[in-house]
Amino acid sequence: MEEWVGYKWHEYVTRQALGEFPEHAVYLKDEARSLGVLFRAFGGDPALSLVTAEPRHFRLRRRFLHKLAGTHRKFELAWRDEQNLRLPEKVARFPSKQLNRDLYIWLAALAASPVPDSSDWFTSNQSLVQSVIARWPGLENVYQRLVRQTLRWRPDPENLPEKEAACERAIRQALVHPGSVNTLPPASTDPWPVIVWLYPALEQSTASGQVTGDDDNQSSPGGLAKKNKRRQAERVDAFDRDQGLMIFRLESLFSWTDFIPVDRAGDDTDEEDAEAVADDMDMISVSRDRKETSSSIKFDLDLPSEEHDDLRLGPGIHLPEWDWRSQSYRDAFCCVQPMLAKDVVPAELPEDLRRPAKRLQRQFSALKPLKQWQKRQVDGDELDLDACLEREVQNRRGQGVIDQKLFQRCQQNQRDLACLVLADASLSTETYINNHQRVIDIARDGLQLLSEALQASRDPFALFAFSSRRRDHVRFHHLKSFDEAYTSTIRGRIQALEPGFYTRMGAAIRQSIKLLQTRHEHQKILLLLTDGKPNDLDIYEGRYGVEDTRMAVQEAHKAGITPFCVTIDDEASDYLPYVFGSNNYVVIRDPAQLPLQLPKLYLNLTQ
């Protein structure tokens, strides 16, 4: 009962201190898709991901209610850097959902313009507002409504000390009349946050040392409205029970206690409010773990031994990689290693795939090359009896003009195309999509059904899979080349495919381009199957990996190859239109349907 009363009291005080309107709250996760479209329509960088902003700390003059509730110490404000556009997770500042939604739209329009100068944040934001209104006059009314509501939320200068009051008056004048104030008067505290402006990018502090178990300092790339907040952290030493000094009066000791660091089981460590606790912490301390724990939690990310690894086909192929920061290629930067599964057992098609395979074979057999007779030719393989009879009739009637096309020719009606299927075999494909299927399982089923269909249509095709572990080891698994027949050995290679490492997508696409360029067919298709964003252990993450993959796709277009991506990633709509184009990808919402949808997609792509 006491806990319930305390919780309700805390909830009430916090709500009163924040002064927000939770019933009119608008969340970024609900507006992210439309905001992404608007941001790009305003001219924003299409490579940026839309993610939530982490709170910034401010030294403000807080009222007693703010101190009692523990609020108004940090705020989520809009800013952008080279990889992400970061917006507040929710907006509930205004007494209207439309106004709260307008704030998101206004911030997206600001972010689509050049980033404000961090050294002159005050004047650069005023110039930014002026340029946005000049470019998009329809946003002026939106801005004025937001400013009127913002001024009501800001502190009254009459209730502030002299220097802080001068600072607040300058900000108010800059909001109402952008460009009218050149300098921000200094004050002993930070100015109250301006929610309708962009703030400079937060600098990520560096820390010395390394956490046990870390292979590289890596972070997950941001996605569409993904909660990907950065937090301040520090490296600390782990607890050592043999060190320290305890001072006490011995006569006051009535009991003896000993601290024993006991780890809980994995299913006991999932705290319901763990994320909220982390958000409230100003500093997160990370230490080296104990040997006992680190030895019991391991991930097999290293390469297997030579005797257990697949066969290496050659010394490796060195390929360039695109560095978007310098806008240039890094020559021979990646090493693609062709691999062939060792000791593959020939296999038949699984029982659950035979029925759909037969149905697809009947459907695709209609695409086989057929003999067609072309009648009324000047020359050909044999006489056209209909044309000869018609000529004889014309002779007897004495008609002056007589048709000389008396032959017929047999031609092969052939589909002039070749397809290379490139499957993502990274570690993420180990994920289960239901109680009995992993991503790699449905990918294997899809490859087998598509192969059965293409075998019936007699379209030349090749199958490869890829994974990577840094730039010097991009594994390119050979499943079937263009010159190989689809046999039980190929089925065995597909069924032996297992999840590997990471997803250096650009290098795999470039190697596929080289293979397709050796084909003489007029239409060349590169069909990519993946479940996520390009990433790797080194610098190949975030925008770097996206830009390199995009450049590899553009290289495919220049080579006359049609790249098409099939993915099951729910966040694919955030980056795939930028990488492949709006018409060159498809998202399979139900991953279990991938094996049946893949042949249909191929038909639509080639007809």
Side-chain angles (χ1 to χ4, degrees), residues 142-156:
V142 174
Y143 175 72
Q144 294 298 335
R145 289 198 302 270
L146 292 173
V147 168
R148 285 195 296 269
Q149 294 294 331
T150 300
L151 295 180
R152 298 178 184 176
W153 172 70
R154 299 187 63 81
D156 187 355

Side-chain angles (χ1 to χ4, degrees), residues 48 53-57 77-87 114-121 124-125 197-205 230 232:
L48 295 185
E54 59 269 25
R56 290 171 178 258
H57 288 265
L77 301 168
W79 59 279
R80 55 163 286 190
D81 54 17
E82 294 179 340
Q83 299 195 35
N84 300 301
L85 166 59
R86 297 182 179 266
L87 298 176
V115 182
D117 185 6
S118 59
S119 61
D120 192 9
W121 162 82
S124 62
N125 262 294
W197 283 357
L198 290 183
Y199 276 72
L202 287 175
E203 295 183 0
Q204 189 172 8
S205 59
R230 294 185 304 180
Q232 290 184 330

Side-chain angles (χ1 to χ4, degrees), residues 292-305:
E292 292 81 5
T293 305
S294 61
S295 62
S296 63
I297 305 175
K298 287 186 178 180
F299 294 96
D300 185 16
L301 297 181
D302 293 329
L303 297 178
S305 58

Side-chain angles (χ1 to χ4, degrees), residues 258-395:
D258 188 13
F259 178 81
I260 301 176
V262 179
D263 289 331
R264 294 182 295 176
D267 54 356
D268 293 334
T269 59
D270 187 12
E271 300 288 350
E272 294 182 358
D273 58 346
E275 188 172 357
V277 172
D279 287 339
D280 291 337
M281 295 178 65
D282 295 335
M283 183 73 67
I284 297 178
S285 300
V286 183
S287 67
R288 294 177 179 271
D289 210 344
R290 297 180 301 279
K291 292 182 179 180
E292 292 81 5
T293 305
S294 61
S295 62
S296 63
I297 305 175
K298 287 186 178 180
F299 294 96
D300 185 16
L301 297 181
D302 293 329
L303 297 178
S305 58
E306 289 291 340
E307 60 270 18
H308 295 96
D309 199 4
D310 294 338
L311 297 174
R312 300 193 177 200
L313 305 178
I317 304 167
H318 289 86
L319 296 174
E321 188 168 273
W322 175 255
D323 187 352
W324 70 275
R325 296 167 300 187
S326 62
Q327 292 294 298
S328 61
Y329 282 100
R330 294 183 171 186
D331 294 333
F333 191 71
C334 297
C335 181
V336 175
Q337 179 60 62
M339 311 289 292
L340 182 65
K342 185 190 297 184
D343 301 329
V344 169
V345 178
E348 297 300 324
L349 196 65
E351 184 67 31
D352 58 327
L353 298 181
R354 293 180 182 178
R355 187 172 182 178
K358 290 182 179 180
R359 184 172 63 252
L360 289 171
Q361 287 171 352
R362 289 194 299 269
Q363 184 178 1
F364 275 70
S365 61
L367 305 176
K368 286 192 302 184
L370 301 176
K371 291 183 179 181
Q372 288 187 346
W373 288 96
Q374 293 184 338
K375 297 181 176 295
R376 299 185 181 276
Q377 303 295 316
V378 177
D379 55 18
D381 300 329
E382 57 186 53
L383 288 173
D384 185 351
L385 294 180
D386 293 336
C388 291
L389 289 174
E390 187 174 344
R391 179 180 178 179
E392 185 63 24
V393 171
Q394 290 175 353
N395 282 333

Side-chain angles (χ1 to χ4, degrees), residues 418-423 447 450-451 454 459-465 476-484 490 512 515-516 519 525-527:
C419 178
L420 188 148
V421 184
L422 182 63
L447 290 176
L450 181 60
S451 299
L454 295 182
D459 289 342
F461 70 99
L463 305 175
F464 294 91
F476 199 74
H477 298 273
H478 178 104
L479 303 177
K480 178 190 177 300
S481 66
F482 285 105
D483 299 329
E484 287 181 285
I490 307 299
S512 302
L515 295 175
L516 279 169
R519 301 297 302 178
I525 297 173
L526 173 57
L527 189 59

Side-chain angles (χ1 to χ4, degrees), residues 444 447-448 451 463 479 486 490-497:
R444 288 194 297 243
L447 290 176
Q448 292 184 95
S451 299
L463 305 175
L479 303 177
Y486 182 66
I490 307 299
R491 296 190 190 96
R493 293 176 188 170
I494 296 175
Q495 295 177 16
L497 187 63

Side-chain angles (χ1 to χ4, degrees), residues 11 14 57 77 144 289 304-305 307 332 353 377-378 429 433 440 472 505 530 544 586 591:
E11 188 180 49
T14 303
H57 288 265
L77 301 168
Q144 294 298 335
D289 210 344
S305 58
E307 60 270 18
L353 298 181
Q377 303 295 316
V378 177
T429 59
I433 62 171
I440 191 66
D472 55 350
M505 201 174 289
T530 182
Y544 185 98
V586 65

